[in-house]
Amino acid sequence: MALEPFTTHTGVGVPLRRSNVDTDQIIPAVYLKRVTKTGFEDGLFAAWRNDESFVLNQEPFRAGSVLVAGPDFGTGSSREHAVWALKDYGFRVVLSSRFADIFRGNSGKQGLLAGQMAQDDVELLWKLLENEPGAQVTVDLEARTATCGTSVFSFQVDDYTRWRLMEGLDDIGLTLRHEDAIDAFEAERPSWKPKTLPVLS
Amino acid sequence: MGRTLAEKVWDAHVVRQGAAGEPDLLYIDLHLIHEVTSPQAFDGLREAGRPVRRPDLTIATEDHNIPTVDIDKPIADLVSRTQVDTLRRNAAEFGVRIHSLGDLDQGIVHVVGPQTGLTQPGMTVVCGDSHTSTHGAFGALAFGIGTSEVEHVLATQTLPLAPFKTMAITVDGELPEGTTSKDIILAVIAKIGTGGGQGYVLEYRGEAIRALSMESRLTVCNMSIEAGARAGMIAPDEKTFAYIQDKPHAPKGAEWDAAVEWWSTLKTDDDAVFDAEVVISAADLEPFVTWGTNPGQGVPLSASVPDPEQMADAGERAAAERSLEYMGLAAGTPMREIAVDTVFIGSCTNGRIEDLRIAADVLKGRRVADGVRLMVVPGSVRVRLQAVEEGLDQVFLDAGGEWRGAGCSMCLGMNPDQLTVGERAASTSNRNFEGRQGKGGRTHLVSVPVAAATAVRGTLSSPADLAPAAQPALV
């Protein structure tokens, strides 16, 4: 299904001063039993949200939509539910100095922008957001910049993901434009490649 | 210039080369499905009116949230039951073969692929589960995907993929007595960190890797993702071919010969260049255990809990302080003095027959320490039956352990097999994240022999720490 095109987004920035935020922290396994694709916001950071001092329990941050996290965000399990939970809660952008590969891929498929920026810039942005809780961050995907007050930070996102996000394109539709190439490849596959159908043993 | 193993497998699956900046479109040889990450993908197909393109390259099993006791009764947890029922309905509707609870081939998806012979060298294998890297032990390019990608593979049998970098992990020399492939991979992760492999496919090489059995190699590749790498591979060799040969889905006759001929070319050329290289000396390894809340926070069993104060990097120090607080540990405590409540032996990392044999070897003639719970969960129904045939189940029961049905179980605590708040476990699984094995639970990742010895002594231990086992009485 086509996604809503992403050009710019402005919203409250949330400083998450943690590294190695694995997807078990983003949404614990007990929340993964649902068969729907929405309604995962209650599972977002579920264990940490029991702690009153957790940043999303602080008033201006509660309404955040731009998450600024430490290195190695989204490690561990491949669960796309982590992206759904962030989006269902209201996040449109995650900025971090390093993302796990699978999480980054999942984000791109769901229209959640995962922008990679230097750790020094992450630290500066944390300070800005902590000094002025509720400060807005404007993320411009075309320019690949995040602006907070008068500070402008650049972030990286690969050209292909950026194009797809800006166009709101559906991956499966794009691939099916090349169905002839898939047919041709299948015609050449060795016959001994295994099939999952029952075999006599 | 020569090509690496990973590049050769990639090259053999390019359906369409991407233009500049565009990903390549890769063909997928095998797609493994389970109940947790597939329902929304099937919904997507239904909404778009798309069929599964190749049900004959797709296989489903139930593993993540199913119970490991009373499997002949309806699943008590209604939400879990709905998810499993949904998988069964989707499999029936879209014509996908499924190994349900009670089926002889049911089990953890990454145990089922290799044991049925569906996982073979040079294949591309995907699953909505990050431990798909396991299958790389056969020289397959195997990696975990998200639910959108599951839908993409169901619809097209391909995936658009951006190129990766390659990293050689060379493990030279011989493993000392008492150490296992689990200790190799825990040491690798401690060395390169949980982000060290991001963007890379790892290739494990060297004398110590060649010397490992197929099942031990699966353990190494399984945890590649814990170092941040989507995939980890080992070049196939005679051991690989021998392991596959008698499996139900192995090629037969002339097809076997054709397959082996191609498989034999699947190794990194001598003049190929890796983007990064890491060398580890096997002789320096000893049993490895984790002390923190990510798999990179590990030390040798003979060491003590590290002191965050001694860490130079501020981020690492802050993370270590958080980890120790969560784990309820004080810096400087010898690892061997840490007492556990539970020992879990199982998972896609260490739930195969070889693992159960090693565990039984340690537990034979011994008893689990008072107050310690030992849970042994085979990785598949076939592993369970093989263990029963060899009498291993009786060893576990005689030692005072629990012997369960097959599944993911306490590795991720989606079913009722969970730790409670503050409960401490030695676990042969792959993740010690906060709350991974149950809310508030504390996990130490260990090898199978360390898990079994820990069950006996009640504190983190290796078999070398145990008093001699009781001998059977003479009659």
Side-chain angles (χ1 to χ4, degrees), chain A residues 108-126:
Chain A
K109 310 281 181 198
Q110 291 297 320
L112 178 74
L113 171 58
Q116 185 166 334
M117 53 199 275
Q119 181 59 26
D120 287 349
D121 287 346
V122 169
E123 312 251 350
L124 281 173
L125 201 40
W126 278 344

Side-chain angles (χ1 to χ4, degrees), chain A residues 32-191:
Chain A
L32 311 187
K33 296 181 186 179
R34 294 179 193 149
V35 295
T36 56
K37 209 166 176 173
T38 53
F40 287 94
E41 64 274 9
D42 56 339
L44 181 69
F45 300 126
W48 295 344
R49 269 158 85 185
N50 292 327
D51 171 3
E52 269 178 38
S53 67
F54 181 60
V55 64
L56 282 186
N57 291 331
Q58 310 300 311
E59 200 34 71
F61 296 122
R62 217 182 278 271
S65 63
V66 179
L67 187 66
V68 186
D72 296 317
F73 189 84
T75 54
S77 158
S78 63
R79 57 189 71 163
E80 195 162 306
H81 309 68
V83 174
W84 301 337
L86 285 161
K87 278 201 73 185
D88 289 349
Y89 183 90
F91 285 103
R92 294 297 313 276
V93 181
V94 183
L95 298 170
S96 164
S97 55
R98 207 160 53 196
F99 288 97
D101 293 335
I102 301 178
F103 178 85
R104 190 208 309 267
N106 289 343
S107 297
K109 310 281 181 198
Q110 291 297 320
L112 178 74
L113 171 58
Q116 185 166 334
M117 53 199 275
Q119 181 59 26
D120 287 349
D121 287 346
V122 169
E123 312 251 350
L124 281 173
L125 201 40
W126 278 344
K127 281 189 188 131
L128 288 172
L129 297 173
E130 284 163 356
N131 289 342
E132 199 192 322
Q136 307 259 319
V137 178
T138 294
V139 177
D140 181 336
L141 179 55
E142 178 151 34
R144 288 182 253 224
T145 56
T147 305
C148 183
T150 56
S151 305
V152 183
F153 305 93
S154 60
F155 63 82
Q156 294 168 7
V157 54
D158 68 85
D159 290 341
Y160 184 72
T161 303
R162 173 167 161 269
W163 171 70
R164 276 187 35 251
L165 286 172
M166 290 181 66
E167 301 286 329
L169 288 173
D170 154 37
D171 253 9
I172 296 178
L174 280 176
T175 294
L176 288 175
R177 292 181 192 172
H178 306 298
E179 212 167 353
D180 291 353
I182 302 173
D183 292 340
F185 185 94
E186 284 181 334
E188 298 289 316
R189 282 181 85 234
S191 59

Side-chain angles (χ1 to χ4, degrees), chain B residues 145-233:
Chain B
I145 56 179
T147 297
S148 294
E149 291 172 311
V150 170
E151 183 182 339
H152 195 287
V153 177
L154 288 172
T156 70
Q157 204 58 34
T158 64
L159 268 185
L161 287 166
F164 54 85
K165 293 178 286 180
T166 57
M167 184 187 292
I169 308 249
T170 305
V171 190
D172 284 326
E174 250 180 85
L175 271 182
E177 176 87 22
T179 52
T180 67
S181 64
K182 183 70 166 280
D183 304 307
I184 292 180
I185 190 61
L186 286 173
V188 167
I189 299 163
K191 187 176 171 108
I192 71 172
T194 56
Q198 275 165 26
Y200 290 94
V201 170
L202 310 184
E203 183 184 330
Y204 304 96
R205 318 151 50 83
E207 189 189 342
I209 300 294
R210 297 259 72 86
L212 294 175
S213 68
M214 269 319 293
E215 299 204 340
S216 291
R217 292 178 188 180
L218 287 161
T219 303
V220 174
C221 289
N222 171 271
M223 289 186 72
S224 301
I225 183 67
E226 277 21 282
R230 248 178 133 162
M233 302 174 81

Side-chain angles (χ1 to χ4, degrees), chain B residues 86-393:
Chain B
T86 303
L87 178 67
R88 292 174 186 176
R89 267 204 316 276
N90 284 331
E93 181 182 338
F94 288 89
V96 171
R97 191 169 173 215
I98 181 168
H99 298 305
S100 288
L101 269 181
D103 183 304
L104 196 54
D105 278 309
Q106 180 265 333
I108 306 176
V109 65
H110 309 309
V111 178
V112 169
Q115 84 181 10
T116 55
L118 281 172
T119 306
Q120 297 174 13
M123 289 173 67
T124 45
V125 180
V126 299
C127 173
D129 186 279
S130 61
H131 291 111
T132 309
S133 59
T134 311
H135 307 261
F138 288 83
L141 183 61
F143 49 90
I145 56 179
T147 297
S148 294
E149 291 172 311
V150 170
E151 183 182 339
H152 195 287
V153 177
L154 288 172
T156 70
Q157 204 58 34
T158 64
L159 268 185
L161 287 166
F164 54 85
K165 293 178 286 180
T166 57
M167 184 187 292
I169 308 249
T170 305
V171 190
D172 284 326
E174 250 180 85
L175 271 182
E177 176 87 22
T179 52
T180 67
S181 64
K182 183 70 166 280
D183 304 307
I184 292 180
I185 190 61
L186 286 173
V188 167
I189 299 163
K191 187 176 171 108
I192 71 172
T194 56
Q198 275 165 26
Y200 290 94
V201 170
L202 310 184
E203 183 184 330
Y204 304 96
R205 318 151 50 83
E207 189 189 342
I209 300 294
R210 297 259 72 86
L212 294 175
S213 68
M214 269 319 293
E215 299 204 340
S216 291
R217 292 178 188 180
L218 287 161
T219 303
V220 174
C221 289
N222 171 271
M223 289 186 72
S224 301
I225 183 67
E226 277 21 282
R230 248 178 133 162
M233 302 174 81
I234 295 174
D237 58 13
E238 292 302 326
K239 277 186 199 173
T240 319
F241 307 154
Y243 188 91
I244 296 169
Q245 193 155 21
D246 61 346
K247 300 291 186 288
H249 287 284
K252 307 279 188 289
E255 298 210 315
W256 170 262
D257 298 337
V260 170
E261 192 184 333
W262 186 57
W263 295 347
S264 303
T265 67
L266 297 174
K267 49 185 152 221
T268 295
D269 294 328
D270 290 341
D271 58 342
V273 178
F274 289 95
D275 297 301
E277 296 203 49
V278 172
V279 178
I280 285 184
S281 166
D284 298 341
L285 294 178
E286 41 183 315
F288 226 79
V289 292
T290 62
W291 52 268
T293 56
N294 74 58
Q297 293 176 320
V299 291
L301 176 63
S302 59
S304 299
V305 176
D307 184 354
E309 298 281 323
Q310 310 280 318
M311 296 178 182
D313 180 77
E316 203 183 320
R317 189 161 59 238
E321 279 165 359
R322 272 194 56 82
S323 294
L324 291 188
E325 190 191 333
Y326 180 85
M327 292 295 288
L329 291 174
T333 308
M335 295 307 294
R336 274 198 168 83
E337 287 177 15
I338 297 172
V340 305
D341 307 297
T342 290
V343 172
F344 171 66
I345 297 177
S347 83
C348 58
T349 313
N350 281 126
R352 288 171 285 272
I353 189 66
E354 177 183 290
D355 299 306
L356 300 190
R357 288 179 187 142
I358 292 170
D361 222 35
V362 175
L363 289 163
K364 200 171 178 70
R366 294 189 166 107
R367 290 281 306 169
V368 171
D370 287 346
V372 173
R373 165 171 66 146
L374 167 66
M375 194 188 275
V376 185
V377 183
S380 71
V381 172
R382 286 191 191 273
V383 169
R384 184 183 157 88
L385 293 175
Q386 179 68 29
V388 170
E389 192 174 315
E390 296 177 21
L392 309 183
D393 58 329

